[in-house]
Amino acid sequence: MLKNYLKTAYRNLLKTKVFSLLNIFGLAFGITACVLILHYVNFEKSYDRFHKDGERIYRLRYDRFDSEGGAVRFASCCPPAAPLIREGYPEVEKIGRMLHVQAGVSTLLDGREIKFLEERIFFAEPDVFDILKFHFIEGDPLIELAEPNKAFVSSSVARKYFGSQDPIGKVLSIDKKTDYRIVGLFEDVPSNSHLKFDILIPWKNLENQYGPQYYEEWGHTGSYTYLRVKPQTDIAAFENKLDDLVTSQCPWLKEYKMTIDLVMQPLYDIHLTSHYLQEYEVNGNRDNVNFLFIIAFFIILMAWVNYINLSTSRAITRAQETGLRKVIGASRAQLIIQFFLETVLINFFAILCTMLLIKLLTPLFSQISGIPLTVGMWSRAWFWEAIAGFFLAGVFLSGLYPVLVLSSFKPSRVLKGRPGISQRGINLRKVLVIFQFVISLALLSGTLTVYKQLSFMRRQDPGFSMDQTLVIKAPRVRDELFSEKMVTFKETLLNNPNIAEFCTVTEVPGRQIYWDNGAIRRAGEDISKGKNYMIVGVDYDFIDVLDIEMVCGRNFSKQYSTDPKALMLNETGVKWMGFDSPESALNQQVDYWGEIYTIIGVVKDYHQQSPKQAFEPQIFRLMPEGRDIRGHFVAVLNAQNIKESVQQINRQYEQFFPGNPFDYFFLDDYFNQQYKFDELFGRIFSLFAGLAIIITALGIFGLASFSAVQRTKEIGIRKVLGADVKRILLLLIQDFVFLLALAGLFVLPVLIFGINRWLESFAKRMDLDAFIFVVPMIIVLCVTLFTVSYQTIKSATANPVDSIRYE
Amino acid sequence: MIRLKDVEKYYSNKFVKTWVLRNIDMEVKEGDFVTIMGPSGAGKSTLLHILGMLDDMSGGEYYFLDEPVHQLNERKRTGFHQQYIGFVFQAYHLIDELTVYENLETPLLYKKVKTSERKSLIAETLDRFNIVAKKDLFPNQLSGGQQQLVAVARALIINPKLILADEPTGNLNSKQGLEIMDMLKALNDEGTTIIQVTHDEKKAAYGDRIIHLLDGYIDKIDERN
């Protein structure tokens, strides 16, 4: 029996090759899109899930509010909180701190110096690794990190510095200031950890760097604090206790009319929801993840709807066989089994295709989505569950309706040549097609919106110039001759005809400024008026080198010996400080932590971050030598010989600042990488919009051929009465245009709502215009016309005699 | 074997009833060879479909081997097909995707006949209809007469008590037609009950009773013997 069914099914698939391929590929594309999205969603949701007891682990954050309720929210915390919590709060099992630094790291290997700039170094307390369970290969961090001058490195770092040699016992010098002996080795931190580090050094060494008062400073954020609470701890009650702790420890807050909140942030929430100041890395976005998940759902739904459409429209041709089988004794149950078997077969082939597609697409998708290839899908349980799920759901959801329709045909009618296709079935198919139109239109409009907004942002004048601008990390290893060296270094570079301009600055545009100071106010104002500002340390040339415009006043100048006590604000800063206009701010005095500065100029707002972010209040301070942390050199190159210029600068740099690794980037690349996530979103969106269009076209093809078959006789009669192909084409296309118009009406309000919602996250928004709604309509219309015409012309040019004789 | 009492059939469209059959009373005994005749639209095929349980009736009673068919559920009726009834149609109605062998096999599969018995039944039938050489061909590789031969063979393979034939020779040339009719006659002689629908007086003459239908009513019944 089974053999007979399979044989029929198989031969049927072969007989209607086009239909079978449409079916199989439609399903395969849908499932592939879905699995890829699931892969992405799963990866995003897998962040930090590998830690044991993760639901009891929290990161302690820090919020500061000024007297007017203005909030500054940090991902990090202040150093003195952790030891007090460790002592006085039994509900906390463990608590530990980490501080992220970048540094030049060097070592001697066989008499040769090896040095790199390391961007992922952490000072860490041992308890951190009791809380967060990373995989250590050698050495016990709980013991070793309790003592100073020891270091743990990752396997990759060990390989980078020491090749195949055993790293244990080797010495790393950090910024040529402190030597650390390597006592342990850990596996590279998984890519789905919100915290990523390459080198761990003891928290105790921090004291050497910042002095003991660092540990007592409640206003100083920057270190991350993790803690694990006992089971069943009431988090809200615990946070209230922390409020009391802050009040008792910081009596000065009253004077400033400020408050500090210590906030418990669940570990699992960090990656998808945390977007505060001083995040270790830019975190993901839960909205985007959920949104993609919904898209995945609709895509698979479309694929199934398609399958239903194609199979029921094919049912006409299958009706005769069905009726016949009934006549020769098939029961309904037997027919249902047979048709289900065909569905199983098609879904099976679709799954095979899916696997192949996924195999082929994985490298590309890894590139697009940024998920490392090492995070494979094939070995994951969810992957096989999803595949099995799609298969079973596909068989039942997409098979059920066609099977019921086919098996319910009345044999007597079928044999008379009138298959029982009811009007209800046709209406259902129309609804399904409208559904597909709606999804296609929505995805197309969405894609256009994302791209238009992106290009809108890129067209914005950033307010500074970034052409041929090379940025070099300023040397961290500095000796007492640094000031003189800086001057000569600059002169040497400017003497080089390849280098046009040079300056030094603490932060170049391209990311949020890391240096912020609170409690800054106009001189004479009450202490409670103090607010938070982003601080940029600049030299005399920064404004000119980056072509930043001044609104009024003047730039720092060597002609004024008073300038070290002067500062500049940006326009947003002027408003933030409460001045009515930039002009009125000039020559006013600012109380910056007890020192009085004079405002000498106002800088036009430029985009420190991508235009997605709002302008932030900035204070520019004069620092002709830059800073050793977060310092940058900026060199504008002449157009020719870029590569050679970089090499020349490299040589000079090494000569002037030995022991410092030469680490550089181009400003435009650096700035543009802020668009990475939105571009990724745009690419993913367009990929799936493309898939949706294909699936819709398949669906329309199915319905068009169905209605062409259905109306064969009508077309024949009309032709006999003298209608030409053109008129018949028009007749059939009308239906689809009507459905498309209906879909357009449905989708418009949803789109306007959705697009506005999405645009809310951008500070600078494009204007909505008809373009993003009309173009998708035209595209879908063209696809529809093309598909329908193909089918219709085929039946319209057929000999009418054949079709009329049919009855 | 078959008893119809006041059987009627209509299609209702909105509030208008279109009558196809009315007041049909008839009886068919085992071993009968009945012919149904009448002009186009008289209800011949519908009557045959009702007799074959392919179509529901709108009213009346139908007893098949004393079972009230009008009260049976679909499963029971499917059982009757498999057990007792074979169909032959004007358009040969073979399953295009299956070979001659597989076409013959299908009703046996539906009837859940055991493999060994199935094989011998098929072999026997192929032999009897002289189509052994054609067993691996698909229907579209056969001529019309050969296809109808296979269709008849398929109807007979379950050894039915009743054969329903709807213009079995309508699409055949006269020689092929005669062969098929002779075969039906021979089956009838062996005891199979046959009900056929035809336009053709000559073919009608094979039967021992002719029921004339006109506009859904039984117009008259000719008894031959």
Side-chain angles (χ1 to χ4, degrees), chain A residues 312-333:
Chain A
T312 46
S313 61
R314 246 184 72 205
I316 296 202
T317 48
R318 297 299 301 279
Q320 202 200 6
E321 180 200 331
T322 316
L324 198 56
R325 282 183 183 271
K326 280 198 170 179
V327 167
I328 59 180
S331 65
R332 190 157 181 189

Side-chain angles (χ1 to χ4, degrees), chain B:
Chain B
M1 180 184 200
I2 289 175
R3 196 148 49 84
L4 296 186
K5 256 174 84 181
D6 201 20
V7 164
E8 52 183 30
K9 173 80 183 172
Y10 55 81
Y11 296 102
S12 36
N13 187 358
K14 301 262 158 85
F15 301 101
V16 184
K17 279 183 183 174
T18 314
W19 292 95
V20 186
L21 291 174
R22 296 194 88 159
N23 299 342
I24 304 292
D25 288 298
M26 64 184 271
E27 205 170 333
V28 178
K29 295 207 168 59
E30 272 196 79
D32 281 359
F33 194 140
V34 177
T35 305
I36 301 172
M37 287 189 79
S40 283
K44 308 184 295 288
S45 291
T46 306
L47 179 56
L48 201 69
H49 287 152
I50 287 178
L51 286 172
M53 302 167 209
L54 297 181
D55 213 346
D56 302 322
M57 38 198 193
S58 313
E61 292 167 18
Y62 172 15
Y63 297 91
F64 186 88
L65 296 173
D66 298 325
E67 288 277 352
V69 174
H70 49 280
Q71 291 168 3
L72 293 182
N73 60 19
E74 191 172 327
R75 178 178 307 194
K76 216 45 180 294
R77 277 186 275 171
T78 307
F80 275 126
H81 281 174
Q82 292 178 349
Q83 205 66 34
Y84 301 115
I85 305 176
F87 290 87
V88 182
F89 300 94
Q90 172 180 6
Y92 335 111
H93 285 329
L94 297 174
I95 298 175
D96 293 335
E97 282 75 39
L98 299 179
T99 62
V100 168
Y101 184 94
E102 288 156 2
N103 260 294
L104 292 177
E105 189 183 30
T106 307
L108 298 176
L109 289 171
Y110 285 133
K111 233 178 126 176
K112 301 196 171 87
V113 176
K114 280 198 203 78
T115 314
S116 53
E117 193 187 338
R118 208 166 64 218
K119 280 188 174 151
S120 68
L121 264 172
I122 298 168
E124 196 182 296
T125 311
L126 286 169
D127 204 31
R128 177 168 160 205
F129 285 82
N130 245 330
I131 44 177
V132 180
K134 309 254 184 319
K135 73 176 168 54
D136 290 325
L137 297 182
F138 286 93
N140 57 13
Q141 296 167 307
L142 299 174
S143 74
Q146 288 166 334
Q147 289 187 43
Q148 190 64 307
L149 208 60
V150 176
V152 174
R154 188 185 56 193
L156 294 178
I157 200 162
I158 55 164
N159 199 15
K161 276 187 178 327
L162 171 67
I163 290 183
L164 297 170
D166 192 350
E167 303 216 32
T169 62
N171 284 0
L172 302 179
N173 63 33
S174 50
K175 181 169 168 271
Q176 289 169 332
L178 283 177
E179 280 172 15
I180 297 290
M181 288 314 296
D182 287 338
M183 189 177 300
L184 289 178
K185 184 73 200 153
L187 286 168
N188 182 239
D189 292 342
E190 289 164 26
T192 310
T193 315
I194 292 175
I195 303 178
Q196 69 159 344
V197 164
T198 185
H199 272 60
D200 188 332
E201 294 284 348
K202 243 197 271 171
K203 310 276 161 59
Y206 281 85
D208 36 40
R209 184 156 36 121
I210 301 177
I211 297 174
H212 292 273
L213 280 184
L214 188 63
D215 297 336
Y217 294 95
I218 293 181
D219 189 35
K220 59 175 180 178
I221 300 179
D222 285 342
E223 296 282 348
R224 290 269 159 158
N225 308 318

Side-chain angles (χ1 to χ4, degrees), chain A residues 748-801:
Chain A
L748 196 62
V750 179
L751 270 180
I752 291 178
F753 174 79
I755 289 175
N756 275 325
R757 169 88 206 274
W758 182 72
L759 283 176
E760 270 170 22
S761 67
F762 293 86
K764 283 243 157 70
R765 289 163 217 160
M766 62 170 188
D767 298 322
L768 285 190
D769 58 18
F771 175 81
I772 44 178
F773 306 112
V774 172
V775 169
M777 281 295 252
I778 294 175
I779 294 177
V780 177
L781 188 69
C782 288
V783 171
T784 309
L785 289 189
F786 180 76
T787 329
V788 176
S789 306
Y790 172 78
Q791 271 297 321
T792 312
I793 290 174
K794 222 172 74 182
S795 57
T797 49
N799 187 348
V801 178

Side-chain angles (χ1 to χ4, degrees), chain A residues 455-467:
Chain A
S455 76
F456 171 79
M457 288 200 296
R458 282 174 180 261
R459 274 201 317 276
Q460 295 292 310
D461 176 15
F464 65 93
S465 114
M466 49 179 143
D467 295 337

Side-chain angles (χ1 to χ4, degrees), chain A residues 220-238:
Chain A
H220 201 127
T221 54
S223 62
Y224 301 117
T225 304
Y226 295 91
L227 54 95
R228 186 177 63 231
V229 296
K230 295 219 168 89
Q232 273 107 38
T233 299
D234 181 348
I235 297 303
F238 179 64

Side-chain angles (χ1 to χ4, degrees), chain A residues 68 70 79 85 266 289 336 367 386 508 576 633 657 731 774:
Chain A
E68 285 157 33
I85 293 172
V289 167
I336 286 177
Q367 233 173 33
V508 291
W576 188 235
F633 291 163
F657 312 110
L731 177 83
V774 172

